[in-house]
Amino acid sequence: MENAILNIFEDWEKKLENDEWYFQNAYENLVEGLTSEEAFLQIPAIIHILLKTVDCFLLSEGVEILIGIYHIADTTQVHPFFEEKRVDIEHHLSKHGDQHAQEVYGALKRRTYA
């Protein structure tokens, strides 16, 4: 999944210019057919991407993907890797993210720590 997300993020501006639904379509292709267990197991890969991403727009998109994966995982369990990296993610978002990325992350935290 990590490589698939990196491919989605590659040349994203041009792809988005050609298709305003680019990220939505790419996300749907990414998660098509994932079981809840498979989705849960993909959480670390998405977190790795978040921690490598410095573009604030892509950070927001990465957090949106993580929210979607948690939705598919259909669990209230916080993934141990997310718990382990939570402070790193928050620091990374405060350094590279914008207000929107922070708001999207806040939604993720409300969902996972509800």
Side-chain angles (χ1 to χ4, degrees), residues 50-94:
L50 285 177
L51 293 173
K52 294 178 191 175
T53 302
V54 294
D55 180 281
C56 61
F57 182 82
L58 293 179
L59 276 171
S60 295
E61 290 298 322
V63 176
E64 292 278 6
I65 291 170
L66 190 53
I67 289 171
I69 289 292
Y70 258 107
H71 180 72
I72 294 168
D74 194 27
T75 183
T76 57
Q77 179 184 356
V78 177
H79 194 287
F81 192 73
F82 180 67
E83 185 62 37
E84 176 186 327
K85 295 295 184 180
R86 188 171 54 92
V87 171
D88 294 338
I89 294 167
E90 291 172 3
H91 175 74
H92 188 74
L93 283 168
S94 69

Side-chain angles (χ1 to χ4, degrees), residues 9-84:
F9 286 1
E10 187 175 309
D11 296 325
W12 67 272
E13 290 169 318
K14 187 174 185 178
K15 294 172 185 173
L16 189 61
E17 197 175 284
N18 293 329
D19 175 11
E20 68 180 292
W21 297 103
Y22 169 69
F23 281 104
Q24 180 64 35
N25 294 332
Y27 169 74
E28 288 174 3
N29 289 332
L30 183 69
V31 300
E32 185 176 357
L34 280 182
T35 67
S36 59
E37 182 181 357
E38 290 168 335
F40 190 76
L41 293 173
Q42 293 304 318
I43 291 170
I46 298 165
I47 291 170
H48 284 295
I49 295 292
L50 285 177
L51 293 173
K52 294 178 191 175
T53 302
V54 294
D55 180 281
C56 61
F57 182 82
L58 293 179
L59 276 171
S60 295
E61 290 298 322
V63 176
E64 292 278 6
I65 291 170
L66 190 53
I67 289 171
I69 289 292
Y70 258 107
H71 180 72
I72 294 168
D74 194 27
T75 183
T76 57
Q77 179 184 356
V78 177
H79 194 287
F81 192 73
F82 180 67
E83 185 62 37
E84 176 186 327

